[in-house]
């Protein structure tokens, strides 16, 4: 997407970035799981969920997200792990992840521990989305946020059986 979408249609532009099985899942794991390294993303998908993304697919989707400017990837030196960081456009997807038709449609047939964030974002409304986005900006972009009282948005989005 470095050259832009193939057409002027916003739906087409979104599908060019997110229109495959894995891209949103990689973004989800960085955003909600704070997985910032390739191996963390791969082990998260393979050990703690049913997705099981292959390393070549993960490499391709990570590259796609960097090209789309939703993630940045630092150039780690020899023997060091590259770190992926959310960008502001990726952080702005928090409300979209809550309001997306596929996400809402997909809630019903899933297990409670995997659908909890979607449900909590739904019930928490814009205040929770904004709090979570502020936490993501602080974590990934270094933007200082005002202190809040009570549990953080991340704590409110955690699975509690």
């Amino acid at each position: 997407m470095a050259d832009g979408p193939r057409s002027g249609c916003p739906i087409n532009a979104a599908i060019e970035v997110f229109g495959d099985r894995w891209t949103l899942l990689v973004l989800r794991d960085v955003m909600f799981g704070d997985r910032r390294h390739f191996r963390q993303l791969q082990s998260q998908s393979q050990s703690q969920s049913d997705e099981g993304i292959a390393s070549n697919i993960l490499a391709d989707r990570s590259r796609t997200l960097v090209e789309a400017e939703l993630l940045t990837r630092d150039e780690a030196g020899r023997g060091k792990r590259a770190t992926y960081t959310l960008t502001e456009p990726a952080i702005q997807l928090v409300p979209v992840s809550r309001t997306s038709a596929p996400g809402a449609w997909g809630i019903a047939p899933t297990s409670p521990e995997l659908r909890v964030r979607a449900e909590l974002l739904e019930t928490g409304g814009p205040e929770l989305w904004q709090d979570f986005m502020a936490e993501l900006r602080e974590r990934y972009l270094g933007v200082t946020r005002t202190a809040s009282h009570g549990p953080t948005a991340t704590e409110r989005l955690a699975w509690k059986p």
Side-chain angles (χ1 to χ4, degrees), residues 19-59:
D20 67 78
R21 178 178 176 182
W22 299 107
T23 305
L24 283 173
L25 298 179
V26 171
L27 196 56
R28 171 203 67 189
D29 288 348
V30 176
M31 184 178 291
F32 292 104
D34 196 26
R35 308 291 185 233
R36 301 190 66 184
H37 303 285
F38 188 90
R39 286 197 176 140
Q40 288 176 322
L41 287 164
Q42 190 173 30
S43 66
Q44 170 69 11
S45 293
Q46 290 181 342
S47 66
Q48 295 183 1
S49 68
D50 295 331
E51 286 108 20
I53 188 169
S55 62
N56 62 326
I57 302 291
L58 177 56

mmCIF file of all heavy atoms in Angstrom, residues 19-59:
data_model
loop_
_atom_site.group_PDB
_atom_site.id
_atom_site.type_symbol
_atom_site.label_atom_id
_atom_site.label_comp_id
_atom_site.label_asym_id
_atom_site.label_seq_id
_atom_site.Cartn_x
_atom_site.Cartn_y
_atom_site.Cartn_z
ATOM 1 N N GLY A 19 -7.830 -7.705 4.071
ATOM 2 C CA GLY A 19 -8.681 -8.672 3.402
ATOM 3 C C GLY A 19 -8.183 -10.104 3.386
ATOM 4 O O GLY A 19 -8.526 -10.856 2.497
ATOM 5 N N ASP A 20 -7.405 -10.501 4.330
ATOM 6 C CA ASP A 20 -6.979 -11.895 4.391
ATOM 7 C C ASP A 20 -7.234 -12.441 5.790
ATOM 8 O O ASP A 20 -7.638 -11.714 6.686
ATOM 9 C CB ASP A 20 -5.492 -12.041 4.016
ATOM 10 C CG ASP A 20 -4.596 -11.387 5.040
ATOM 11 O OD1 ASP A 20 -4.369 -11.980 6.112
ATOM 12 O OD2 ASP A 20 -4.114 -10.270 4.780
ATOM 13 N N ARG A 21 -6.983 -13.691 5.956
ATOM 14 C CA ARG A 21 -7.296 -14.368 7.208
ATOM 15 C C ARG A 21 -6.435 -13.916 8.385
ATOM 16 O O ARG A 21 -6.875 -13.989 9.527
ATOM 17 C CB ARG A 21 -7.109 -15.868 6.987
ATOM 18 C CG ARG A 21 -7.347 -16.687 8.202
ATOM 19 C CD ARG A 21 -7.187 -18.148 7.897
ATOM 20 N NE ARG A 21 -7.339 -18.894 9.129
ATOM 21 C CZ ARG A 21 -7.214 -20.181 9.223
ATOM 22 N NH1 ARG A 21 -6.950 -20.898 8.162
ATOM 23 N NH2 ARG A 21 -7.360 -20.795 10.377
ATOM 24 N N TRP A 22 -5.221 -13.432 8.148
ATOM 25 C CA TRP A 22 -4.259 -13.260 9.233
ATOM 26 C C TRP A 22 -3.972 -11.832 9.671
ATOM 27 O O TRP A 22 -3.598 -11.619 10.826
ATOM 28 C CB TRP A 22 -2.936 -13.920 8.839
ATOM 29 C CG TRP A 22 -3.096 -15.379 8.597
ATOM 30 C CD1 TRP A 22 -3.075 -16.021 7.389
ATOM 31 C CD2 TRP A 22 -3.323 -16.385 9.582
ATOM 32 N NE1 TRP A 22 -3.268 -17.361 7.554
ATOM 33 C CE2 TRP A 22 -3.424 -17.621 8.903
ATOM 34 C CE3 TRP A 22 -3.448 -16.370 10.963
ATOM 35 C CZ2 TRP A 22 -3.645 -18.818 9.560
ATOM 36 C CZ3 TRP A 22 -3.677 -17.561 11.619
ATOM 37 C CH2 TRP A 22 -3.771 -18.766 10.927
ATOM 38 N N THR A 23 -4.098 -10.858 8.809
ATOM 39 C CA THR A 23 -3.610 -9.516 9.109
ATOM 40 C C THR A 23 -4.244 -8.925 10.361
ATOM 41 O O THR A 23 -3.544 -8.404 11.229
ATOM 42 C CB THR A 23 -3.809 -8.591 7.890
ATOM 43 O OG1 THR A 23 -3.167 -9.194 6.765
ATOM 44 C CG2 THR A 23 -3.217 -7.225 8.139
ATOM 45 N N LEU A 24 -5.550 -8.994 10.476
ATOM 46 C CA LEU A 24 -6.201 -8.442 11.670
ATOM 47 C C LEU A 24 -5.830 -9.225 12.928
ATOM 48 O O LEU A 24 -5.773 -8.660 14.028
ATOM 49 C CB LEU A 24 -7.716 -8.400 11.499
ATOM 50 C CG LEU A 24 -8.229 -7.269 10.618
ATOM 51 C CD1 LEU A 24 -9.728 -7.420 10.381
ATOM 52 C CD2 LEU A 24 -7.916 -5.913 11.217
ATOM 53 N N LEU A 25 -5.559 -10.517 12.776
ATOM 54 C CA LEU A 25 -5.164 -11.310 13.945
ATOM 55 C C LEU A 25 -3.776 -10.910 14.436
ATOM 56 O O LEU A 25 -3.533 -10.856 15.647
ATOM 57 C CB LEU A 25 -5.215 -12.798 13.621
ATOM 58 C CG LEU A 25 -6.603 -13.325 13.234
ATOM 59 C CD1 LEU A 25 -6.528 -14.808 12.901
ATOM 60 C CD2 LEU A 25 -7.623 -13.057 14.317
ATOM 61 N N VAL A 26 -2.874 -10.613 13.516
ATOM 62 C CA VAL A 26 -1.549 -10.127 13.912
ATOM 63 C C VAL A 26 -1.701 -8.789 14.619
ATOM 64 O O VAL A 26 -1.149 -8.577 15.713
ATOM 65 C CB VAL A 26 -0.605 -10.010 12.692
ATOM 66 C CG1 VAL A 26 0.690 -9.309 13.071
ATOM 67 C CG2 VAL A 26 -0.327 -11.387 12.099
ATOM 68 N N LEU A 27 -2.479 -7.896 14.051
ATOM 69 C CA LEU A 27 -2.708 -6.594 14.666
ATOM 70 C C LEU A 27 -3.373 -6.746 16.033
ATOM 71 O O LEU A 27 -3.009 -6.077 16.997
ATOM 72 C CB LEU A 27 -3.559 -5.736 13.737
ATOM 73 C CG LEU A 27 -3.594 -4.252 14.013
ATOM 74 C CD1 LEU A 27 -2.205 -3.645 14.026
ATOM 75 C CD2 LEU A 27 -4.460 -3.555 12.979
ATOM 76 N N ARG A 28 -4.315 -7.662 16.140
ATOM 77 C CA ARG A 28 -4.974 -7.942 17.429
ATOM 78 C C ARG A 28 -3.964 -8.351 18.489
ATOM 79 O O ARG A 28 -3.997 -7.875 19.628
ATOM 80 C CB ARG A 28 -6.003 -9.064 17.229
ATOM 81 C CG ARG A 28 -6.606 -9.590 18.534
ATOM 82 C CD ARG A 28 -7.147 -10.995 18.401
ATOM 83 N NE ARG A 28 -6.082 -11.971 18.174
ATOM 84 C CZ ARG A 28 -6.292 -13.246 17.853
ATOM 85 N NH1 ARG A 28 -7.519 -13.696 17.689
ATOM 86 N NH2 ARG A 28 -5.281 -14.072 17.688
ATOM 87 N N ASP A 29 -3.034 -9.249 18.125
ATOM 88 C CA ASP A 29 -2.063 -9.744 19.099
ATOM 89 C C ASP A 29 -1.087 -8.666 19.546
ATOM 90 O O ASP A 29 -0.661 -8.659 20.694
ATOM 91 C CB ASP A 29 -1.315 -10.958 18.546
ATOM 92 C CG ASP A 29 -2.196 -12.203 18.491
ATOM 93 O OD1 ASP A 29 -3.292 -12.190 19.086
ATOM 94 O OD2 ASP A 29 -1.773 -13.180 17.856
ATOM 95 N N VAL A 30 -0.752 -7.732 18.659
ATOM 96 C CA VAL A 30 0.103 -6.612 19.063
ATOM 97 C C VAL A 30 -0.704 -5.664 19.950
ATOM 98 O O VAL A 30 -0.245 -5.253 21.013
ATOM 99 C CB VAL A 30 0.679 -5.861 17.841
ATOM 100 C CG1 VAL A 30 1.492 -4.639 18.289
ATOM 101 C CG2 VAL A 30 1.550 -6.786 16.997
ATOM 102 N N MET A 31 -1.920 -5.355 19.527
ATOM 103 C CA MET A 31 -2.743 -4.373 20.231
ATOM 104 C C MET A 31 -3.216 -4.866 21.598
ATOM 105 O O MET A 31 -3.041 -4.191 22.608
ATOM 106 C CB MET A 31 -3.952 -4.012 19.367
ATOM 107 C CG MET A 31 -4.830 -2.933 19.940
ATOM 108 S SD MET A 31 -6.209 -2.531 18.834
ATOM 109 C CE MET A 31 -5.338 -1.746 17.485
ATOM 110 N N PHE A 32 -3.802 -6.041 21.634
ATOM 111 C CA PHE A 32 -4.403 -6.527 22.874
ATOM 112 C C PHE A 32 -3.490 -7.443 23.673
ATOM 113 O O PHE A 32 -3.679 -7.607 24.864
ATOM 114 C CB PHE A 32 -5.723 -7.250 22.578
ATOM 115 C CG PHE A 32 -6.802 -6.337 22.080
ATOM 116 C CD1 PHE A 32 -7.141 -6.320 20.739
ATOM 117 C CD2 PHE A 32 -7.473 -5.489 22.942
ATOM 118 C CE1 PHE A 32 -8.125 -5.480 20.259
ATOM 119 C CE2 PHE A 32 -8.458 -4.633 22.478
ATOM 120 C CZ PHE A 32 -8.788 -4.626 21.126
ATOM 121 N N GLY A 33 -2.517 -8.058 23.028
ATOM 122 C CA GLY A 33 -1.627 -8.985 23.712
ATOM 123 C C GLY A 33 -0.247 -8.432 23.985
ATOM 124 O O GLY A 33 0.578 -9.101 24.579
ATOM 125 N N ASP A 34 0.011 -7.195 23.530
ATOM 126 C CA ASP A 34 1.318 -6.549 23.697
ATOM 127 C C ASP A 34 2.447 -7.457 23.208
ATOM 128 O O ASP A 34 3.513 -7.522 23.794
ATOM 129 C CB ASP A 34 1.551 -6.115 25.149
ATOM 130 C CG ASP A 34 2.690 -5.110 25.276
ATOM 131 O OD1 ASP A 34 2.976 -4.393 24.296
ATOM 132 O OD2 ASP A 34 3.311 -5.056 26.358
ATOM 133 N N ARG A 35 2.198 -8.182 22.121
ATOM 134 C CA ARG A 35 3.217 -9.027 21.498
ATOM 135 C C ARG A 35 3.997 -8.145 20.541
ATOM 136 O O ARG A 35 3.440 -7.655 19.566
ATOM 137 C CB ARG A 35 2.590 -10.189 20.723
ATOM 138 C CG ARG A 35 1.610 -10.996 21.528
ATOM 139 C CD ARG A 35 2.303 -11.789 22.606
ATOM 140 N NE ARG A 35 1.340 -12.628 23.280
ATOM 141 C CZ ARG A 35 1.177 -12.632 24.587
ATOM 142 N NH1 ARG A 35 1.918 -11.884 25.348
ATOM 143 N NH2 ARG A 35 0.293 -13.424 25.142
ATOM 144 N N ARG A 36 5.277 -7.922 20.791
ATOM 145 C CA ARG A 36 6.037 -6.947 20.018
ATOM 146 C C ARG A 36 7.163 -7.561 19.205
ATOM 147 O O ARG A 36 7.818 -6.867 18.453
ATOM 148 C CB ARG A 36 6.577 -5.892 20.957
ATOM 149 C CG ARG A 36 5.403 -5.206 21.686
ATOM 150 C CD ARG A 36 5.775 -4.026 22.453
ATOM 151 N NE ARG A 36 6.227 -2.977 21.557
ATOM 152 C CZ ARG A 36 6.686 -1.829 21.998
ATOM 153 N NH1 ARG A 36 6.745 -1.587 23.273
ATOM 154 N NH2 ARG A 36 7.096 -0.913 21.154
ATOM 155 N N HIS A 37 7.377 -8.862 19.355
ATOM 156 C CA HIS A 37 8.463 -9.537 18.639
ATOM 157 C C HIS A 37 7.882 -10.696 17.839
ATOM 158 O O HIS A 37 6.874 -11.291 18.214
ATOM 159 C CB HIS A 37 9.523 -10.042 19.619
ATOM 160 C CG HIS A 37 10.082 -8.953 20.475
ATOM 161 N ND1 HIS A 37 10.975 -8.029 20.006
ATOM 162 C CD2 HIS A 37 9.839 -8.628 21.763
ATOM 163 C CE1 HIS A 37 11.271 -7.179 20.981
ATOM 164 N NE2 HIS A 37 10.586 -7.518 22.048
ATOM 165 N N PHE A 38 8.556 -11.028 16.744
ATOM 166 C CA PHE A 38 8.092 -12.068 15.825
ATOM 167 C C PHE A 38 7.788 -13.369 16.559
ATOM 168 O O PHE A 38 6.717 -13.946 16.396
ATOM 169 C CB PHE A 38 9.147 -12.285 14.729
ATOM 170 C CG PHE A 38 8.687 -13.187 13.633
ATOM 171 C CD1 PHE A 38 8.045 -12.663 12.526
ATOM 172 C CD2 PHE A 38 8.900 -14.554 13.686
ATOM 173 C CE1 PHE A 38 7.621 -13.474 11.489
ATOM 174 C CE2 PHE A 38 8.482 -15.383 12.662
ATOM 175 C CZ PHE A 38 7.834 -14.839 11.563
ATOM 176 N N ARG A 39 8.710 -13.820 17.372
ATOM 177 C CA ARG A 39 8.499 -15.103 18.077
ATOM 178 C C ARG A 39 7.331 -15.031 19.047
ATOM 179 O O ARG A 39 6.622 -16.018 19.230
ATOM 180 C CB ARG A 39 9.769 -15.536 18.799
ATOM 181 C CG ARG A 39 10.796 -16.050 17.819
ATOM 182 C CD ARG A 39 11.864 -16.858 18.494
ATOM 183 N NE ARG A 39 12.744 -17.397 17.485
ATOM 184 C CZ ARG A 39 14.043 -17.474 17.597
ATOM 185 N NH1 ARG A 39 14.621 -17.070 18.704
ATOM 186 N NH2 ARG A 39 14.768 -17.968 16.635
ATOM 187 N N GLN A 40 7.131 -13.891 19.676
ATOM 188 C CA GLN A 40 5.979 -13.737 20.560
ATOM 189 C C GLN A 40 4.685 -13.837 19.758
ATOM 190 O O GLN A 40 3.732 -14.480 20.188
ATOM 191 C CB GLN A 40 6.009 -12.381 21.273
ATOM 192 C CG GLN A 40 7.053 -12.240 22.330
ATOM 193 C CD GLN A 40 7.061 -10.831 22.906
ATOM 194 O OE1 GLN A 40 6.871 -9.848 22.194
ATOM 195 N NE2 GLN A 40 7.287 -10.736 24.210
ATOM 196 N N LEU A 41 4.661 -13.202 18.609
ATOM 197 C CA LEU A 41 3.466 -13.264 17.759
ATOM 198 C C LEU A 41 3.212 -14.682 17.279
ATOM 199 O O LEU A 41 2.080 -15.151 17.277
ATOM 200 C CB LEU A 41 3.618 -12.323 16.560
ATOM 201 C CG LEU A 41 3.506 -10.841 16.883
ATOM 202 C CD1 LEU A 41 4.057 -10.002 15.745
ATOM 203 C CD2 LEU A 41 2.064 -10.473 17.185
ATOM 204 N N GLN A 42 4.262 -15.370 16.920
ATOM 205 C CA GLN A 42 4.091 -16.737 16.434
ATOM 206 C C GLN A 42 3.701 -17.681 17.565
ATOM 207 O O GLN A 42 2.780 -18.481 17.417
ATOM 208 C CB GLN A 42 5.360 -17.230 15.756
ATOM 209 C CG GLN A 42 5.120 -18.538 15.039
ATOM 210 C CD GLN A 42 6.315 -18.965 14.225
ATOM 211 O OE1 GLN A 42 7.449 -18.655 14.567
ATOM 212 N NE2 GLN A 42 6.062 -19.687 13.158
ATOM 213 N N SER A 43 4.339 -17.583 18.703
ATOM 214 C CA SER A 43 3.999 -18.489 19.805
ATOM 215 C C SER A 43 2.631 -18.168 20.373
ATOM 216 O O SER A 43 1.909 -19.060 20.782
ATOM 217 C CB SER A 43 5.063 -18.447 20.903
ATOM 218 O OG SER A 43 5.085 -17.180 21.536
ATOM 219 N N GLN A 44 2.244 -16.889 20.389
ATOM 220 C CA GLN A 44 0.903 -16.513 20.852
ATOM 221 C C GLN A 44 -0.139 -17.190 19.980
ATOM 222 O O GLN A 44 -1.080 -17.782 20.461
ATOM 223 C CB GLN A 44 0.711 -14.993 20.791
ATOM 224 C CG GLN A 44 -0.714 -14.531 21.029
ATOM 225 C CD GLN A 44 -1.212 -14.731 22.432
ATOM 226 O OE1 GLN A 44 -0.457 -15.041 23.343
ATOM 227 N NE2 GLN A 44 -2.499 -14.588 22.634
ATOM 228 N N SER A 45 0.056 -17.121 18.680
ATOM 229 C CA SER A 45 -0.934 -17.700 17.776
ATOM 230 C C SER A 45 -0.960 -19.214 17.873
ATOM 231 O O SER A 45 -1.995 -19.821 17.738
ATOM 232 C CB SER A 45 -0.640 -17.278 16.338
ATOM 233 O OG SER A 45 -0.845 -15.904 16.191
ATOM 234 N N GLN A 46 0.195 -19.835 18.095
ATOM 235 C CA GLN A 46 0.233 -21.285 18.091
ATOM 236 C C GLN A 46 -0.123 -21.907 19.428
ATOM 237 O O GLN A 46 -0.732 -22.956 19.470
ATOM 238 C CB GLN A 46 1.613 -21.778 17.648
ATOM 239 C CG GLN A 46 1.852 -21.509 16.179
ATOM 240 C CD GLN A 46 3.195 -21.996 15.711
ATOM 241 O OE1 GLN A 46 4.090 -22.241 16.496
ATOM 242 N NE2 GLN A 46 3.331 -22.139 14.415
ATOM 243 N N SER A 47 0.253 -21.277 20.536
ATOM 244 C CA SER A 47 0.051 -21.944 21.815
ATOM 245 C C SER A 47 -1.192 -21.495 22.577
ATOM 246 O O SER A 47 -1.727 -22.255 23.350
ATOM 247 C CB SER A 47 1.279 -21.735 22.714
ATOM 248 O OG SER A 47 1.403 -20.373 23.063
ATOM 249 N N GLN A 48 -1.636 -20.266 22.361
ATOM 250 C CA GLN A 48 -2.739 -19.782 23.172
ATOM 251 C C GLN A 48 -4.014 -19.528 22.377
ATOM 252 O O GLN A 48 -4.946 -18.936 22.872
ATOM 253 C CB GLN A 48 -2.312 -18.510 23.902
ATOM 254 C CG GLN A 48 -1.204 -18.793 24.905
ATOM 255 C CD GLN A 48 -0.829 -17.561 25.682
ATOM 256 O OE1 GLN A 48 -1.385 -16.493 25.507
ATOM 257 N NE2 GLN A 48 0.125 -17.696 26.565
ATOM 258 N N SER A 49 -4.035 -19.934 21.134
ATOM 259 C CA SER A 49 -5.253 -19.831 20.349
ATOM 260 C C SER A 49 -5.244 -20.925 19.304
ATOM 261 O O SER A 49 -4.271 -21.646 19.152
ATOM 262 C CB SER A 49 -5.363 -18.444 19.700
ATOM 263 O OG SER A 49 -4.377 -18.291 18.715
ATOM 264 N N ASP A 50 -6.319 -21.024 18.571
ATOM 265 C CA ASP A 50 -6.445 -22.075 17.572
ATOM 266 C C ASP A 50 -5.923 -21.666 16.208
ATOM 267 O O ASP A 50 -5.952 -22.455 15.285
ATOM 268 C CB ASP A 50 -7.921 -22.471 17.435
ATOM 269 C CG ASP A 50 -8.452 -23.097 18.699
ATOM 270 O OD1 ASP A 50 -7.658 -23.723 19.432
ATOM 271 O OD2 ASP A 50 -9.658 -22.960 18.960
ATOM 272 N N GLU A 51 -5.438 -20.424 16.054
ATOM 273 C CA GLU A 51 -5.085 -19.946 14.733
ATOM 274 C C GLU A 51 -3.852 -20.614 14.141
ATOM 275 O O GLU A 51 -3.861 -21.004 12.993
ATOM 276 C CB GLU A 51 -4.906 -18.428 14.732
ATOM 277 C CG GLU A 51 -6.234 -17.701 14.809
ATOM 278 C CD GLU A 51 -6.481 -17.050 16.145
ATOM 279 O OE1 GLU A 51 -5.516 -16.810 16.900
ATOM 280 O OE2 GLU A 51 -7.644 -16.760 16.449
ATOM 281 N N GLY A 52 -2.756 -20.723 14.874
ATOM 282 C CA GLY A 52 -1.555 -21.399 14.403
ATOM 283 C C GLY A 52 -0.973 -20.843 13.120
ATOM 284 O O GLY A 52 -0.864 -21.551 12.130
ATOM 285 N N ILE A 53 -0.556 -19.595 13.098
ATOM 286 C CA ILE A 53 -0.023 -18.948 11.906
ATOM 287 C C ILE A 53 1.392 -19.456 11.593
ATOM 288 O O ILE A 53 2.224 -19.593 12.485
ATOM 289 C CB ILE A 53 -0.045 -17.406 12.065
ATOM 290 C CG1 ILE A 53 0.316 -16.708 10.759
ATOM 291 C CG2 ILE A 53 0.861 -16.969 13.199
ATOM 292 C CD1 ILE A 53 0.058 -15.210 10.790
ATOM 293 N N ALA A 54 1.641 -19.758 10.347
ATOM 294 C CA ALA A 54 2.964 -20.217 9.905
ATOM 295 C C ALA A 54 3.922 -19.026 9.857
ATOM 296 O O ALA A 54 3.508 -17.884 9.629
ATOM 297 C CB ALA A 54 2.859 -20.849 8.526
ATOM 298 N N SER A 55 5.203 -19.278 10.045
ATOM 299 C CA SER A 55 6.181 -18.196 10.107
ATOM 300 C C SER A 55 6.252 -17.398 8.807
ATOM 301 O O SER A 55 6.404 -16.175 8.840
ATOM 302 C CB SER A 55 7.560 -18.723 10.496
ATOM 303 O OG SER A 55 8.031 -19.629 9.536
ATOM 304 N N ASN A 56 6.130 -18.053 7.652
ATOM 305 C CA ASN A 56 6.185 -17.299 6.393
ATOM 306 C C ASN A 56 4.965 -16.388 6.232
ATOM 307 O O ASN A 56 5.069 -15.271 5.726
ATOM 308 C CB ASN A 56 6.333 -18.237 5.189
ATOM 309 C CG ASN A 56 5.165 -19.186 5.024
ATOM 310 O OD1 ASN A 56 4.568 -19.639 6.007
ATOM 311 N ND2 ASN A 56 4.842 -19.503 3.787
ATOM 312 N N ILE A 57 3.809 -16.842 6.691
ATOM 313 C CA ILE A 57 2.596 -16.016 6.641
ATOM 314 C C ILE A 57 2.728 -14.848 7.617
ATOM 315 O O ILE A 57 2.414 -13.706 7.283
ATOM 316 C CB ILE A 57 1.334 -16.842 6.979
ATOM 317 C CG1 ILE A 57 1.184 -18.018 6.030
ATOM 318 C CG2 ILE A 57 0.096 -15.966 7.018
ATOM 319 C CD1 ILE A 57 0.842 -17.652 4.616
ATOM 320 N N LEU A 58 3.212 -15.118 8.818
ATOM 321 C CA LEU A 58 3.414 -14.061 9.803
ATOM 322 C C LEU A 58 4.390 -13.014 9.274
ATOM 323 O O LEU A 58 4.158 -11.808 9.413
ATOM 324 C CB LEU A 58 3.909 -14.647 11.132
ATOM 325 C CG LEU A 58 4.221 -13.641 12.235
ATOM 326 C CD1 LEU A 58 3.025 -12.756 12.545
ATOM 327 C CD2 LEU A 58 4.689 -14.382 13.483
ATOM 328 N N ALA A 59 5.475 -13.444 8.652
ATOM 329 C CA ALA A 59 6.450 -12.503 8.094
ATOM 330 C C ALA A 59 5.789 -11.630 7.027
ATOM 331 O O ALA A 59 5.986 -10.408 6.995
ATOM 332 C CB ALA A 59 7.643 -13.256 7.513
#
